[in-house]
Amino acid sequence: MVSASSSSPDGAPAAGRRVALLTLGCARNEVDSEELAARLDADGWQVTTDGDGADVVLVNTCGFVEKAKQESIQTLLAAAESGARVVAAGCMAERYGRELHDSMPEAQAVLGFDDYPEISARLSSVLAGERVDSHVPRDRRELLPITPVARRGNAVVLPGHGGPVAEPVTDEHTPAHLRSVLRRRLGAGPVASLKLASGCDRRCSFCAIPAFRGAFVSRTPDELLAEAEWLAGTGVRELVLVSENSTSYGKDLGDPRALEKLLPQLAAVRGIARVRVSYLQPAETRPGLVEAIAGTPGVAPYFDLSFQHSSEPVLRRMRRFGSTERFLELLGTARRLAPEAGARSNFIVGFPGETRRDVDELVRFLTEARLDAIGVFDYSDEDGTEAAGLPGKVPAATVRRRYDRLIRLADELCSQRAEERLGAEVEVLVDTVADGVVEGRAAHQAPEVDGSTTLVAPDGAADLAALRPGDLVRAKVTGTEGVDLVAEPVELVSAAG
């Protein structure tokens, strides 16, 4: 973490002030929160994730879909009831700004991404009872050049990318371990997200994210390696690479194969046992990247592919590309390279114009795809998206029936896929050891979304008391519970440091 002044920019000492940082939404938001935590900690704030006794509650909101927005509003209201000053930041705040502030007087301030470098000054002003101007939303795609390679060096705030620091002075020749890292971990587990990039250049008709997250910008390999080494030094054993679109990594650096080159470097970082890539766009997933994910030692053979649907007519209205056959071919390629490879995806049902035939096509794909995890979302109009104005809206009752059908099918298919792993050996990264229960995740199980693996001692064998969070264990699958596995340890592959 970088060092900074111990007083706020307005001259008032921040020492002793307590800020609770509550994070909603995706792993990308978690990285953004840890950057905010570093800025606040360096300026003397006591940073916590517990709102009790806090002077300020800073809520890093999610603004992706209606359900996430409602959760953000409820969290802000609950924080206000504690008596603390409440500040909204994050995606919902960036997306709605002054409109959110006007509709929610319980929040003393609504901050946008441009406020992040001065977050300490903003919170100090809130505590002093001063008026903080609400963020005024704008299309952040317009802040950067259209041409990706022309975006480097532009003075646009990119959450989770760090920022300029006074010392130590670094350049392109500075070794990774000597580079500054603007991050303070808010958790202590053996897994952490590493943000590859921010923004997205795709124009999916249902998605508002590019408008408030901006155009796609990669972090440089040197930045990522420095942060990976720093994370490893805090006890992290698994890196989860996150972004809005990981398959675009490097296009603005002039190297579309940058991720393929970066993966073995990250896997070689001392202390890191596993690297996992998330948020892959099927249309951009090149053969070389498939090979790198499937065949690089230390990289999980795991394919988090954003299919969204498989019917070509629906995909075209979504402004996406692909089909059942093309998606099955992509999965087949990955499994030929790594038969044990895991795969997950999310799907939207009830998109405008979706017919029963489209749903049947999606069912056919899911039945043949053998995915380890399936997320299903019922379509809802999102402000500012093309899809909100499309004709052919599916009645709400029909959307609900289709959603219920797909959810039941997904549960059944994912349970069947887990059963296919009975008798196989998997490598399990231990997440927790508590009251004799050892729980972790195999390579096909990402944190929080894909199930877990419970390690049990075979009859007559020693107990599991010697295992610790962060250990990587080879184990044989002996049982399943839905998508979750039960496995017996075979050997310790790599011990936590």
Side-chain angles (χ1 to χ4, degrees):
M1 185 183 70
V2 299
S3 59
S5 169
S6 60
S7 62
S8 62
D10 63 3
R17 296 181 178 180
R18 182 181 173 92
V19 55
L21 221 171
L22 309 183
T23 307
L24 304 174
C26 64
R28 302 184 295 273
N29 257 17
E30 293 172 4
V31 177
D32 297 350
S33 285
E34 293 192 347
E35 179 190 303
L36 290 171
R39 293 184 184 279
L40 291 164
D41 181 80
D43 210 30
W45 291 80
Q46 298 177 25
V47 183
T48 179
T49 57
D50 183 357
D52 291 343
D55 299 299
V56 181
V57 177
L58 177 60
V59 182
N60 189 351
T61 60
C62 178
F64 180 40
V65 294
E66 187 61 33
K67 292 177 182 176
K69 289 183 281 188
Q70 288 301 319
E71 182 183 8
S72 294
I73 290 171
Q74 291 167 6
T75 302
L76 289 165
L77 292 174
E81 292 177 357
S82 71
R85 300 279 180 151
V86 178
V87 175
C91 291
M92 187 177 179
E94 175 67 35
R95 186 175 180 184
Y96 294 103
R98 185 173 295 166
E99 179 184 345
L100 176 62
H101 185 266
D102 292 345
S103 64
M104 181 167 285
E106 293 84 357
Q108 276 70 49
V110 174
L111 304 180
F113 297 149
D114 291 337
D115 292 301
Y116 283 19
E118 304 298 328
I119 189 65
S120 180
R122 300 293 183 270
L123 298 193
S124 294
S125 295
V126 167
L127 273 185
E130 300 169 359
R131 175 185 172 83
V132 176
D133 290 335
S134 297
H135 159 68
V136 178
R138 54 182 170 173
D139 190 335
R140 296 190 72 84
R141 292 172 294 190
E142 299 175 356
L143 302 180
L144 290 167
I146 294 176
T147 305
V149 294
R151 295 171 187 166
R152 309 307 305 176
N154 284 273
V156 173
V157 175
L158 301 168
H161 286 227
V165 294
E167 52 182 306
V169 175
T170 62
D171 59 26
E172 67 273 16
H173 304 297
T174 305
H177 68 279
L178 295 179
R179 290 175 176 265
S180 300
V181 173
L182 187 62
R183 185 166 180 177
R184 178 187 184 277
R185 292 196 71 195
L186 294 172
V191 184
S193 296
L194 180 62
K195 181 175 278 193
L196 286 174
S198 287
C200 184
D201 289 339
R202 300 187 70 87
R203 294 295 182 266
C204 301
S205 62
F206 57 82
C207 184
I209 289 175
F212 58 83
R213 275 290 183 178
F216 185 89
V217 179
S218 303
R219 299 179 69 191
T220 66
D222 286 343
E223 290 172 346
L224 294 166
L225 288 168
E227 191 164 323
E229 292 191 5
W230 179 83
L231 288 168
T234 70
V236 169
R237 297 276 284 156
E238 179 175 324
L239 298 172
V240 181
L241 308 187
V242 300
S243 70
E244 276 76 25
N245 178 6
S246 297
T247 38
S248 282
Y249 178 74
K251 71 176 187 179
D252 53 322
L253 304 176
D255 185 359
R257 297 183 62 244
L259 183 55
E260 299 164 34
K261 299 174 183 177
L262 178 65
L263 288 175
Q265 294 178 282
L266 290 172
V269 171
R270 183 178 179 85
I272 297 300
R274 187 156 71 195
V275 177
R276 183 185 304 277
V277 186
S278 61
Y279 304 105
L280 302 173
Q281 285 287 345
E284 298 180 33
T285 304
R286 302 168 301 280
L289 180 58
V290 175
E291 293 172 7
I293 294 173
T296 302
V299 175
Y302 172 82
F303 293 85
D304 175 17
L305 293 157
S306 177
F307 291 128
Q308 302 299 344
H309 214 284
S310 72
S311 169
E312 288 190 76
V314 175
L315 287 167
R316 297 302 176 269
R317 286 193 293 275
M318 289 180 170
R319 295 200 179 278
R320 297 175 68 86
F321 303 95
S323 65
T324 293
E325 302 309 328
R326 290 175 65 181
F327 293 163
L328 290 175
E329 182 181 355
L330 175 57
L331 291 169
T333 299
R335 287 167 177 152
R336 282 192 293 274
L337 294 167
E340 78 286 5
R344 81 170 324 273
S345 191
N346 294 322
F347 300 88
I348 299 172
V349 294
F351 192 80
E354 183 188 64
T355 66
R356 283 180 291 179
R357 179 175 293 182
D358 295 325
V359 177
D360 290 342
E361 182 67 4
L362 178 54
V363 168
R364 181 172 80 88
F365 170 69
L366 293 175
T367 303
E368 297 182 29
R370 296 170 54 234
L371 298 173
D372 293 275
I374 299 169
V376 182
F377 295 87
D378 50 338
Y379 172 81
S380 62
D381 288 337
E382 283 297 313
D383 299 336
T385 63
E386 180 185 353
L390 288 178
K393 291 291 193 295
V394 180
T398 302
V399 174
R400 174 52 57 178
R401 285 197 303 271
R402 292 176 182 177
Y403 172 82
D404 291 342
R405 176 189 178 190
L406 267 293
I407 281 288
R408 290 193 299 269
L409 178 64
D411 289 344
E412 178 183 350
L413 293 173
C414 292
S415 295
Q416 291 175 3
R417 176 62 177 146
E419 291 171 0
E420 292 179 14
R421 297 187 183 275
L422 283 169
E425 289 191 351
V426 295
E427 289 193 350
V428 179
L429 186 86
V430 176
D431 284 329
T432 60
V433 179
D435 299 325
V437 178
V438 180
E439 189 169 2
R441 291 167 298 98
H444 69 280
Q445 296 171 321
E448 299 181 2
V449 294
D450 293 342
S452 63
T453 299
T454 301
L455 296 179
V456 297
D459 293 340
D463 62 29
L464 306 174
L467 292 178
R468 296 180 297 163
D471 285 346
L472 187 66
V473 180
R474 182 173 292 108
K476 182 177 181 179
V477 180
T478 59
T480 66
E481 299 175 5
V483 297
D484 299 327
L485 304 181
V486 179
E488 296 179 354
V490 174
E491 66 172 329
L492 180 64
V493 176
S494 175

